[in-house]
Amino acid sequence: MPGNEGPGNKGTNSLVLAILAPASMILTAPASMFAMLMTYSDDGSSSRRWVTPLVLFSLPVLFASLALRLALPALKVSPRKSANWTAAAVALCICGLIFALALGPALANLGLF
């Protein structure tokens, strides 16, 4: 029985996971609002400012990292301009957007942004 030769549907699968990443923010948004209510005081200060972005981006970053793990081998093995290669490239663009969105609050909490 042959091994895992070729990319298979890794490009398409990575695109599906990459689309699920921003869509999963709909699920984590209410939980992050609840986390904000529980961690911030009435005057607006908090020693745990990192909790809300962590809750908001936990599921999207998980989906984006899984999509990234599938997209990179699909880009290496697939012929350029094939449907699999294009889907993997689009997935990488969406993953980059998700990682950039998650990096903003992380850098802001560190005082670098």
Side-chain angles (χ1 to χ4, degrees):
M1 189 168 178
N4 289 335
E5 290 127 12
N9 289 330
K10 287 184 180 179
T12 307
N13 294 342
S14 67
L15 182 60
V16 169
L17 284 171
I19 290 171
L20 282 176
S24 67
M25 291 177 103
I26 295 169
L27 296 174
T28 58
S32 67
M33 286 187 261
F34 184 71
M36 184 180 284
L37 283 173
M38 293 294 121
T39 56
Y40 280 79
S41 65
D42 290 339
D43 62 356
S45 63
S46 174
S47 62
R48 292 182 227 118
R49 294 183 316 212
W50 54 270
V51 174
T52 303
L54 178 75
V55 173
L56 180 64
F57 289 110
S58 59
L59 198 57
V61 168
L62 175 68
F63 282 137
S65 61
L66 290 174
L68 181 69
R69 184 166 168 84
L70 288 174
L72 290 176
L75 282 176
K76 287 181 183 178
V77 179
S78 297
R80 196 174 192 104
K81 302 296 181 190
S82 67
N84 206 25
W85 188 89
T86 305
V90 170
L92 283 180
C93 293
I94 296 171
C95 290
L97 176 68
I98 294 297
F99 287 129
L101 285 174
L103 190 63
L107 292 177
N109 283 333
L110 290 174
L112 299 174
F113 187 57

